[in-house]
Each structure stands twice: as C-alpha cells, then as structure tokens.
Amino acid sequence: MPPRKRPRPNETAMKMVGAQVASARIARGLTQRAFAEALHMDVETIASIEQGRRTLMPNVAEKMDRALALPGLLSVAANRLPEVDMVPAWAEEYMAREAEALALSWFDTLTVPGLLQTEAYARAVLGCRVPFVGEEKIELQTAHRMKRQEILRRAVPPTLSFVVWEAALRDRIGGDEVHREQLRHLRACADRPALSLQVLPLGLTAHAGLNGPFIVLETPEFQHLAYSETQRGSFLVRDPNEVSILSQKYAMLRSQALNFAETKDLLDRLLGET
C-alpha cells in the first residue's frame, strides 16, 4: 500500500469550521456565489473555506457572522482555530496563493527568499527564531518550506523575479559550509530561464526598499496581490492602489539593483571569498 499522506496539523478543525460556514450559508438560502457577492469575495475563496482547504481568518469570520445574522459564532471558531504547526495562521492564505501563482516579484532584505533557500540554510534560519520552538517544529517548518519550492519544478513554472539585499548574502547563517552551499545554489538559480535574480548592493545613497521586504504576485485569475510580513504577523494586500504602490517600488528596486550579469559576477566573487 502507498504511504498514507500525513494530514495537516489542524486539517480536521479547518474542515469542521468550513462545514459550519456551509451549513449556516445553506440555512439562509444562499448559494456560494450569492454569499461571495455579499461579502465582496471570490466564490473560489468561499469554496476553499467551506471545504477546509483555506483557513477562516477572523476578519472574514466577522463579515460572515454579519451577513448570516449569527451571534459571533464563526468569529469564535476562527479565533480559537488551532494554529497550523508548519505555517502560522496569518500566512496561510498567502501560501495558498503562492502555490498557484502565475508570477512572483519578491524583495528580501535580511535572508535569502524562501523559494531560493537550501534545506540546510532554511533549517538554520528557522532555528534562529526567538523564543526557540524546538527541533521537531523546526523540522516540520523546514520540510514545508522545501515543499513550497515544488512550484519551481512545474512543467511551466511561474515567472519569478527576486531582488535581494547584499547583506543577506554576506551573513553566514548556519556557518561557513551552509553559507557556501547557499551561494552555490543561488548562482545556479541565476542561470534558470524562468527566474531573474538581482542583488541590491550595499553602499547606496538611496533606494526604494527602506520600508522592508514584500512580495507582489499574480493569480491564475490575473488578479494582482501583495504580501508583507512583520515580526509577528503579515498583510495580504488586495487593494489595487496599494498593490500598485508596491509594484512601483519593485520596479524602482530592479532599476537600482545590479543587473543579471553583475549579480552573477558578485556571486562568483563571494564564492571565491568563502
């Protein structure tokens, strides 16, 4: 028999909450499409929540409670939903969007972007978190990060663009050997046809990335979204005006970063120094 697929840590809870959403919607005589329109959401998102494939976020639960005239029942469920061990609940929706994206534009400052990390580097980065979460959780999170990289191996991969601050390449997270392996991997990535990698060099007098890292992505429905993480949370940005601002920032960063050939030369020099 093939090995049984390991369930997500809170898969049962997500399905239970999704079933509650579906039951409440049906009791009000609403189709998924009518419910989605009342909430100003995509019908696909409603379907994913009801099927337990997407986390019911607290802000969405509040809107559903109002639309369904419920006394806060879904809000309670969303706020008490066990956090996913491998992915924080606040990042869950972005991960779902990333997995199906047509294109990603990613600016990072302090670490190599997750989609370009080696397993050893990812483990070292996750192990730096304070407070320490334990080896078991680090291994689960590392495995999940590696699984995300399956989008790079699609028959037709998404169009990927990365701008990485040079400081992230010079820090020796994990030690010398992990650092060398990560640089070698980045150098190989720089030659991939569907991927562009540029380094934002140290020593600039001004650049467009001073407010920190962010990602702009395009969904299969040709919708443009943005994502940004903070120390203890994240934001999935849907407002077209806000996404436009971040897209403009990214375009400026690409013009301020080293070009492709210069980036490869820098990686070669860094490898020569290790």
Side-chain angles (χ1 to χ4, degrees):
M1 292 179 63
R4 184 179 178 184
K5 183 179 178 182
R6 190 179 187 276
R8 295 170 62 189
N10 73 340
E11 184 176 29
T12 301
M14 287 173 64
K15 287 184 176 180
M16 180 186 69
V17 171
Q20 290 175 332
V21 172
S23 296
R25 171 183 59 78
I26 293 168
R28 296 289 295 180
L30 295 172
T31 65
Q32 284 186 343
R33 184 166 301 280
F35 191 33
E37 290 174 354
L39 298 171
H40 304 290
M41 296 174 64
D42 296 331
V43 66
E44 292 82 5
T45 299
I46 298 299
S48 294
I49 291 171
E50 291 188 355
Q51 292 163 18
R53 294 186 289 108
R54 178 168 293 174
T55 303
L56 176 61
M57 305 303 290
N59 62 316
V60 175
E62 290 178 10
K63 292 167 63 176
M64 288 182 171
D65 278 333
R66 289 194 295 269
L68 298 170
L70 296 174
L73 296 180
L74 297 178
S75 296
V76 171
N79 281 291
R80 297 298 181 90
L81 187 67
E83 185 171 297
V84 180
D85 280 346
M86 293 180 290
V87 182
W90 37 260
E92 184 83 355
E93 184 172 359
Y94 167 73
M95 297 302 177
R97 296 290 189 170
E98 180 188 85
E100 61 185 16
L102 294 179
L104 280 169
S105 299
W106 188 319
F107 172 58
D108 224 325
T109 55
L110 300 181
T111 61
V112 171
L115 293 181
L116 302 183
Q117 292 179 6
T118 65
E119 183 173 346
Y121 179 89
R123 184 177 291 108
V125 168
L126 293 166
C128 288
R129 290 181 174 173
V130 177
F132 183 66
V133 297
E135 294 295 341
E136 182 178 358
K137 189 166 186 177
I138 289 171
E139 288 304 314
L140 282 170
Q141 292 173 331
T142 301
H144 183 268
R145 185 160 296 185
M146 293 300 100
K147 184 173 177 58
R148 286 169 57 195
Q149 296 181 9
E150 289 180 1
I151 69 171
L152 305 178
R153 296 183 285 275
R154 289 182 194 164
V156 180
T159 301
L160 299 169
S161 173
F162 299 91
V163 176
V164 186
W165 193 33
E166 185 179 341
L169 308 185
R170 291 191 175 274
D171 279 345
R172 296 173 179 267
I173 303 298
D176 289 345
E177 184 51 43
V178 171
H179 182 235
R180 279 193 295 270
E181 181 189 23
Q182 181 62 67
L183 289 177
R184 286 194 293 267
H185 180 63
L186 286 175
R187 183 61 182 84
C189 288
D191 287 329
R192 298 182 69 140
L195 187 154
S196 68
L197 175 61
Q198 295 176 257
V199 173
L200 186 72
L202 294 169
L204 295 179
T205 58
H207 66 75
L210 295 177
N211 289 334
F214 62 90
I215 301 167
V216 178
L217 65 84
E218 182 178 358
T219 73
E221 297 78 34
F222 309 109
Q223 179 185 13
H224 288 84
L225 305 172
Y227 178 75
S228 178
E229 286 193 354
T230 67
Q231 286 278 345
R232 296 299 300 154
S234 69
F235 304 92
L236 186 65
V237 183
R238 296 182 178 82
D239 185 298
N241 291 331
E242 295 298 323
V243 175
S244 175
I245 289 171
L246 290 173
S247 296
Q248 292 174 55
K249 283 179 178 284
Y250 193 80
M252 182 61 72
L253 283 165
R254 291 197 70 180
S255 72
Q256 295 167 332
L258 302 178
N259 64 32
F260 303 149
E262 292 167 340
T263 292
K264 292 177 184 180
D265 287 344
L266 175 61
L267 288 168
D268 288 338
R269 291 199 304 274
L270 290 175
L271 279 167
E273 295 170 5
T274 59

